Amino acid sequence: MIEFDGVSRTYPGSATPAVEGFSYCVESGSTTVFVGPSGCGKTTLLRMVNRMVSPDAGRVLVRGADVAYLDPVRLRRSIGYVMQHSGLLPHRTVLDNVATVAQLSGMPRTVARQRAVEMLRLVGLHPDLGRRYPAELSGGQAQRVGVARGLVADPDILLMDEPFGAVDPVVRRGLQEEVLALQERKARTILMVTHDIDEAFLLGDRIVLLGDRARIEQTGPPEEFLTAPANDRVREFTGAEGRMLSVENRGGRTLVVDRNGRVRGVLE
Ligand SMILES: Nc1ncnc2c1ncn2[C@@H]1O[C@H](COP(=O)(O)OP(=O)(O)OP(=O)(O)O)[C@@H](O)[C@H]1O
């Protein structure tokens, strides 16, 4: 579905590459999370998928085609993109922000507006909010609109760049649950980047833990990062040692348990 094949990227004026020789295949229908410290190249990788950044070497294949040979505008319209701080257009109403994306993908105006209302409902917003401007929304509401906009054209691929980075922990948790519910309704290929390992554990069924220059430290399902960390850097980043987290099976469910035996999460 999405394949990174030996991609590298050095930004102009920079002595060191942001991404160096990165290869990874994102499975169709998975929620794959690229997680790693600030500056390790996560956003650069994500933006290579929709050609907002071009690799200096290597290639990215989307649906089997090298994106370097695809029309960038058509490519971007075929992929949902949810960015940090929602990226809403300030002078357009919420409904317009969502409906425009649907219209650009070829839906007639009235159908696009109906669909936008449906999407606002789907992400837990009252359709009346559609008349407001982005500045009149809370941070959490704006992020929800960002998710609605990413999904309105019904893309089979959704890219999410730190989508909940700007909201407080309680709202963040609500939004995370929303994404899990959306993915249960219809499995898309979601590629998300975050620096928050807890978010990666909660949402990802595949995790790619990155170090400097997008070097892969470990890949696999979340539980493997706790049961079989590849090295000390993984241990340190997941905080598994400090929190003494371990995985236990209780009542048929795989639970993450802390040193006091308290359940900190469910892996499924
Ligand atoms: N447009 C740019 N021009 C020059 N350098 C850039 C540009 N974009 C990113 N970089 C540099 O490339 C490296 C990787 O950046 P990138 O944004 O991909 O990392 P990230 O892991 O997403 O970081 P964060 O979690 O802080 O968003 C960083 O050192 C960053 O400063």
Side-chain angles (χ1 to χ4, degrees), residues 169-186:
V170 176
V171 175
R172 188 180 179 111
R173 185 66 195 209
L175 285 162
Q176 290 166 341
E177 295 293 341
E178 212 81 66
V179 168
L180 285 171
L182 287 168
Q183 188 67 342
E184 246 169 50
R185 279 173 183 231
K186 180 179 174 181

Side-chain angles (χ1 to χ4, degrees), residues 11-12 18 37-44 162 195:
Y11 287 103
S38 181
C40 72
K42 305 180 294 291
T43 297
T44 301
E162 296 268 2
H195 61 266

Side-chain angles (χ1 to χ4, degrees), residues 28-190:
S28 285
S30 71
T31 301
T32 297
V33 183
F34 289 175
V35 62
S38 181
C40 72
K42 305 180 294 291
T43 297
T44 301
L45 288 172
L46 195 75
R47 289 176 164 214
M48 283 183 188
V49 177
N50 61 8
R51 282 196 67 182
M52 288 168 75
V53 169
S54 301
D56 310 317
R59 53 192 195 141
V60 178
L61 306 176
V62 170
R63 306 182 192 98
D66 184 342
V67 297
Y69 300 104
L70 299 178
D71 172 51
V73 174
R74 284 179 64 181
L75 175 71
R76 280 173 211 149
R77 284 183 191 159
S78 75
I79 296 176
Y81 184 42
V82 182
M83 56 190 111
Q84 198 172 3
H85 303 296
S86 79
L88 300 176
L89 301 169
H91 304 300
R92 308 286 294 273
T93 64
V94 164
L95 192 71
D96 278 347
N97 263 282
V98 181
T100 304
V101 175
Q103 265 180 277
L104 288 173
S105 77
M107 276 183 218
R109 187 169 182 273
T110 45
V111 179
R113 292 179 81 79
Q114 273 167 11
R115 170 111 181 124
V117 169
E118 268 170 45
M119 294 314 299
L120 291 177
R121 277 216 183 88
L122 192 67
V123 298
L125 294 176
H126 194 282
D128 284 355
L129 282 180
R131 287 197 288 268
R132 294 199 192 165
Y133 287 88
E136 298 164 341
L137 300 177
S138 72
Q141 287 168 336
Q143 286 304 131
R144 282 194 154 85
V145 177
V147 174
R149 198 175 54 160
L151 292 172
V152 73
D154 200 20
D156 58 342
I157 298 176
L158 183 64
L159 306 177
M160 304 181 97
D161 190 354
E162 296 268 2
F164 316 129
V167 293
D168 69 66
V170 176
V171 175
R172 188 180 179 111
R173 185 66 195 209
L175 285 162
Q176 290 166 341
E177 295 293 341
E178 212 81 66
V179 168
L180 285 171
L182 287 168
Q183 188 67 342
E184 246 169 50
R185 279 173 183 231
K186 180 179 174 181
R188 297 175 174 78
T189 304
I190 297 182

